[in-house]
Structure formats: C-alpha cells, structure tokens
Amino acid sequence: MTQILIRGARVFDGSGAAPVSADVLVEGDRISRVGGDLAAPDGAEVVDAAGKFLMPGMIDSHVHATLFGEDGLLTYARLGVTTVKDLGGSFVNTIDLRNRSRAGEVPGARVVTVGAFVEGDPAAWGAIGEALFTGMEVHRARADVDRTIDRNLAAGVDGIKLYAGLPPDLVRHTVARVDGRVPITGHLTATTASEAAAAGIGGLEHLLLTLYRDLVPPEHALESQETMASPPYWAKVRRGWAAIDPTGEPARRTIAAMASAGVRMIPTLVLGARVNQEFSPEEEAAFTSAQRERMIARGVPAQGLALEELERSANNLLRVVEEMHRAGVPVLPGTDCGAVPVPPGYGYHLELELLAKAMPNAAVLAAATSGAASWLRRDDLGMIAPGKRANLVLIDGDPLRDITDTRRVSAAWIDGTKIP
C-alpha cells in the first residue's frame, strides 16, 4: 500500500476555517491522519510542503465532458480539479465515460454524471439541438419523463438535470418521480427559478439564463419564439441583464425563495460575467481538439452590444451572486466547459476569480471543495480529514490572499496517486 506523508503544509481542510500548519498522512487512496509532527512510516514518500498551501481537490459542478473530450480531464487534474460533474449529453456516452473514469481507466479528473437531461417541447435549441448535444431528448408527457428518469436512475446517475424547455407541470412531476433519490438541478427557461424552487428542485444552473424571467424588467422579456438557437437571443439577454436591479424587489424575492428552499446556485459566471473574452497563450493551447471542432466552444455571440452594456450586465450578475451569498444561498463553481468558450481546467480558475469578486476567498474555496461535495452527496470528497479520499492539491502561494494562486499547482493527487 502506497504511503505518503505531506509534511508542514498550511492545511485548508475545505470547511472554510482558517488553515493550520499540519502534516497529512495518506495510506492507499485515503487520508489516514492529520496532525502535527506525524512520524513517517517505513518506506513512505515524504513531501516537503513547508510554505505551501494544501487543500482538497476542487470540483467543477458543471461540465459537458463528452463535448470537450477525455484529454481535457488530465488538464483539469493538473490544475487541481480532481472531480467534474457532467451535466448531460448522450446517455450512452456519458454513462460509459463515467464508468471508465470510476474504474480509473481514463486519466485525469474523475467524472460523475446526470446522464441524459430532461428537455421539454419545443426544445430550447430547436432543430440544432441534436448536433450540439448529441443525444438531446424531448419530453412531451409524464410517461416520457418517467422513461428517462427510470433509465438514468437504473444506471446509477449522480443527479438529474432538467432543461430549458421543460414546463412547470413536468418539473413538478420529475421532482416527485425522483423522490429525493438523487439531487435535481435545472437550466430552465419555460419554468421560472421561483417556480422550480417551489417545486422542490435542489439546484439551478446558469444565472444569466435561468433567473432571467424572474428578474428582468417587462420591457426586456423574451418572446415565446426566442430561444438559444436564435442569434439575437444572447444579445437580448445581455441587454436585459444590464437593466436588472440586483437589489430590487424581484431579486430580493427570488433570492429569498431560493434560500428558504435550500436551492443551490451554480452561476457559471464565465458565461456572461467575462467582458474580455481573450485567453492567454497557455489557456488557448489547452482547448481540446473536440472543442475546436465546435463553434459553440469558441464564443457566445452578443452582437450589437456596447462595451458599457456588457460591463453593466456582467456587474449585475456579480452583484446578484453577492446578494445570494449574503442571503445564505449556496453558490458553487461550475464552468459549462465543453459548451461555452473556456478551456478545461483554466476556465475553472477563471470562474473562481469571478466568484471572488462577489464572495470572500475562503467562501469560494469552501464552495469549490466541501460545498460541491455536499451537492454531490459525496461525504468522501471535499475535505482533508481521516477517512476522506486522498484528492489533494498543493499550491505555491496563498489563494486566501490572492485567488489567482489556485493556478499555482505544485502537486496534485487523486485517490493517493500523484498526477503526472
């Protein structure tokens, strides 16, 4: 059995508490001891971590792994993200990738998945949905929902995702059908965030999109025929967000409903809160070949918007996140990597940097670790404590002081195995 003693690190255990100087002993795939001046077992590898910051492996709560491809998982791991939650695609492909990842057959971050997501009729992406998401299925009646839910649960999915075209009655039916067996999240449009919270949904994805109808002034409301497949849609949503009052009555009411219902928010701020869409050469080089073949992975159009409008829209998104955090709504980092223009791993650190504009750094790191693990219902992840999986990240720097230091990964381990 492999034994590793990480000696003298500043240990951030994932809870949000201040880090403490400690040693961490790993035996096999688990953390066995945490404390001061631990003795190294005979034959153990000793890692000198003096002056370094040790934290649990981070979790991306929203990706499309089958869209960016398996090679992106190793990039994720090298950048300290040891688990990614796949938010849907072709049922066969997503379950196959999850199974091979779970078995350790795919190098890099471990994959959990919702399998096939539950879309309504008409589909939000219209006729191009099949090309974009390779397996999008339309659900017109309760029987359609039941077939997908039963198939997903039989495959042991880690959650259920409801999609934009699903109406309120089918959202309520899905929540009842799942009956708490796995967490349910939603990227919604036909159903408002407030309606979904009242129905018992556990999470909401994409602040830019899912809360739009709840918060936008009437003059910026979307027409029924306007969908994500329509190029003007994105510019209209951005312009609408520029007009939203992040502390106004609609925002206060919606946030209070989410807090009361315990709904988590995965805002994917890289979709909407990044005004500058440029990447460094290192980030640009990390895009996978699969991403480069998809135009959707290279940008979301926002034609015709002035820079001032884009900046106001982005700032309002950040301010809503700030208000959510203050109200006790759990906010978790996710990127939508594979479906939006961010490279694997690097996009996650961009998301953390955006979240840190709205939340304290300690809260961002806790959300990236124990908060995301709690949403997955995985008590073996997200914390540095005896018995937890040895998913660990050693950082040169102090991300509590400067959130960009999360990029400065000195070493990372998944299940006690060091990432090359």
Side-chain angles (χ1 to χ4, degrees):
M1 178 173 62
T2 302
Q3 294 178 309
I4 305 166
L5 180 65
I6 303 172
R7 190 183 294 283
R10 292 180 65 228
V11 177
F12 177 84
D13 68 2
S15 69
V20 297
S21 180
D23 303 338
V24 176
L25 179 62
V26 173
E27 296 186 297
D29 64 354
R30 302 281 172 157
I31 298 166
S32 65
R33 294 184 65 191
V34 179
D37 298 322
L38 298 182
D42 290 342
E45 176 189 358
V46 178
V47 177
D48 182 5
K52 298 181 187 291
F53 188 93
L54 185 69
M55 63 180 292
M58 292 173 277
I59 300 170
D60 189 332
S61 291
H62 190 135
V63 310
H64 293 278
T66 57
L67 296 188
F68 65 70
E70 295 178 14
D71 45 339
L73 295 172
L74 189 54
T75 304
Y76 260 111
R78 287 171 172 161
L79 288 165
V81 184
T82 55
T83 305
V84 298
K85 183 179 182 180
D86 183 274
L87 261 287
S90 160
F91 175 78
V92 172
N93 292 342
T94 57
I95 295 299
D96 174 69
L97 179 57
R98 189 280 310 269
N99 290 346
R100 290 187 293 113
S101 173
R102 179 184 288 175
E105 297 171 2
V106 181
R110 297 290 190 260
V111 177
V112 298
T113 189
V114 300
F117 44 64
V118 185
E119 170 64 305
D121 184 24
W125 282 99
I128 66 172
E130 180 68 24
L132 288 174
F133 291 106
T134 60
M136 182 176 291
E137 302 171 19
V138 170
H139 300 76
R140 298 181 176 87
R142 293 184 174 189
D144 301 329
V145 171
D146 293 348
R147 281 192 293 270
T148 295
I149 295 301
D150 293 349
R151 181 184 60 177
N152 278 354
L153 293 176
V157 295
D158 306 279
I160 297 292
K161 179 184 177 185
L162 312 184
Y163 207 60
L166 203 70
D169 63 314
L170 291 184
V171 170
R172 291 189 293 269
H173 176 73
T174 304
V175 172
R177 184 75 176 189
V178 173
D179 193 26
R181 287 174 284 182
V182 295
I184 304 175
T185 195
H187 164 185
L188 303 171
T189 303
T191 299
T192 66
S194 300
E195 289 170 331
I201 203 167
L204 295 172
E205 313 286 331
H206 304 314
L207 177 58
L208 178 74
L209 306 176
T210 295
L211 269 72
Y212 187 79
R213 288 180 58 203
D214 297 82
L215 307 186
V216 73
E219 61 270 24
H220 292 277
L222 291 166
E223 302 295 336
S224 59
Q225 73 275 13
E226 292 178 301
T227 71
M228 290 183 287
S230 312
Y233 173 93
W234 297 98
K236 184 168 185 177
V237 168
R238 293 285 190 92
R239 185 168 287 121
W241 266 98
I244 282 170
D245 181 355
T247 61
E249 194 277 333
R252 293 197 304 271
R253 182 181 64 247
T254 304
I255 291 169
M258 292 175 63
S260 177
V263 177
R264 292 164 170 85
M265 183 77 236
I266 299 87
T268 60
L269 292 173
V270 290
L271 176 66
R274 286 187 73 229
V275 177
N276 180 358
Q277 295 291 315
E278 295 180 356
F279 296 99
S280 70
E282 183 180 34
E283 291 167 339
E284 189 69 38
F287 278 99
T288 67
S289 57
Q291 285 179 297
R292 295 179 190 281
E293 291 172 2
R294 294 173 179 272
M295 285 302 294
I296 192 173
R298 303 303 295 134
V300 173
Q303 301 97 323
L305 267 72
L307 178 60
E308 180 185 1
E309 287 180 299
L310 287 172
E311 290 177 340
R312 190 162 61 247
S313 172
N315 186 63
N316 284 344
L317 285 161
L318 293 170
R319 297 289 70 79
V320 169
V321 170
E322 183 178 2
E323 294 303 314
M324 285 182 171
H325 178 67
R326 286 176 177 169
V329 174
V331 179
L332 306 177
T335 62
D336 207 14
C337 182
V340 300
V342 292
Y346 291 96
Y348 187 81
H349 292 283
L350 291 171
E351 182 73 11
L352 297 186
E353 291 159 23
L354 290 167
L355 286 172
K357 294 181 178 182
M359 299 160 52
N361 289 9
V364 173
L365 297 184
T369 54
S370 63
S374 174
W375 178 221
L376 288 174
R377 301 182 186 175
R378 289 287 300 272
D379 61 7
D380 59 335
L381 300 177
M383 292 284 291
I384 296 179
K388 305 297 184 181
R389 288 191 177 275
N391 292 359
L392 301 166
V393 184
L394 193 60
I395 291 173
D396 288 322
D398 183 0
L400 292 174
R401 179 186 57 82
D402 182 350
I403 197 66
T404 65
D405 280 355
T406 57
R407 296 170 175 260
R408 298 174 61 190
V409 176
S410 172
W413 295 263
I414 295 179
D415 289 343
T417 298
K418 191 174 183 180
I419 301 301

